Amino acid sequence: MKIYFSASIRGGRDDVKIYKQLIDFLKQDNQVLTEHIGDPSLSVVGQKQDDSYIRDRDIAWLKEADLVVAETSNPSLGVGYELAYAEKLHKPVIILHNSKNGQLSAMINGTDYFKDIFEYSTVTEAITILKKKLKL
Ligand SMILES: O=c1[nH]c(=O)n([C@H]2C[C@H](O)[C@@H](COP(=O)(O)O)O2)cc1CO
């Protein structure tokens, strides 16, 4: 299955190690379209391509995806945009949130469409949640 993994870039890269571990797990049995999000060398500046290229490419990937997995602990405008777009496209969405930086936005938590919102503390816990949801 094709997975669009969504997580912070310009919003802050403090959790990049977590993103990488989640992407590495998902990649075992799936194609992750947005592997660059787990690249530790990708800084808060973002990718080298121009912004309209990045936006259009990512929306094309979102349309192509069978599932969206979003890590929302580090607030990110881009992740919020992608989640709203995924809702419009009726894509299945799994949201993983660690409240260490604060609660998930009411605009996400309060959207009925997002049914699979999971709070986690450790990466192991997050992977266990994904295993259950993906029935691995
Ligand atoms: O360079 C980039 N590449 C890229 O793919 N994105 C997409 C994928 C991420 O899920 C999301 C992150 O948004 P933000 O940069 O606002 O934190 O936007 C965002 C940027 C920079 O905004």
Side-chain angles (χ1 to χ4, degrees):
M1 143 165 89
K2 291 182 184 175
I3 298 180
Y4 189 101
F5 183 86
S6 173
S8 174
I9 297 180
R10 291 190 186 162
R13 297 292 285 161
D14 289 355
D15 291 339
V16 65
K17 282 191 184 145
I18 296 169
Y19 307 156
K20 179 157 174 33
Q21 289 175 79
L22 296 176
I23 289 168
D24 285 347
F25 166 72
L26 291 169
K27 263 173 56 183
Q28 289 173 19
D29 290 301
N30 304 281
Q31 185 188 352
V32 175
L33 300 168
T34 52
E35 249 192 87
H36 61 281
I37 296 174
D39 178 354
S41 71
L42 178 61
S43 79
V44 78
V45 173
Q47 295 183 281
K48 287 191 188 77
Q49 294 96 335
D50 73 59
D51 285 0
S52 62
Y53 173 89
I54 291 170
R55 187 267 175 204
D56 292 352
R57 178 205 60 196
D58 286 4
I59 292 303
W61 277 339
L62 198 55
K63 288 179 177 163
E64 195 185 328
D66 304 300
L67 171 70
V68 176
V69 175
E71 207 296 335
T72 54
S73 314
N74 188 129
S76 150
L77 288 172
V79 172
Y81 179 88
E82 288 161 354
L83 285 172
Y85 216 108
E87 181 194 2
K88 274 256 182 269
L89 295 173
H90 297 105
K91 297 285 177 180
V93 176
I94 297 173
I95 295 172
L96 297 168
H97 189 79
N98 179 332
S99 289
K100 64 185 174 177
N101 300 323
Q103 267 182 279
L104 183 59
S105 166
M107 297 305 287
I108 304 299
N109 206 30
T111 297
D112 282 347
Y113 181 76
F114 300 128
K115 302 223 183 297
D116 287 326
I117 299 179
F118 300 97
E119 180 71 34
Y120 78 94
S121 310
T122 64
V123 181
T124 312
E125 247 178 77
I127 288 175
T128 304
I129 292 163
L130 289 175
K131 276 186 183 158
K132 234 189 222 166
K133 287 307 299 176
L134 304 174
K135 298 198 176 34
L136 294 173

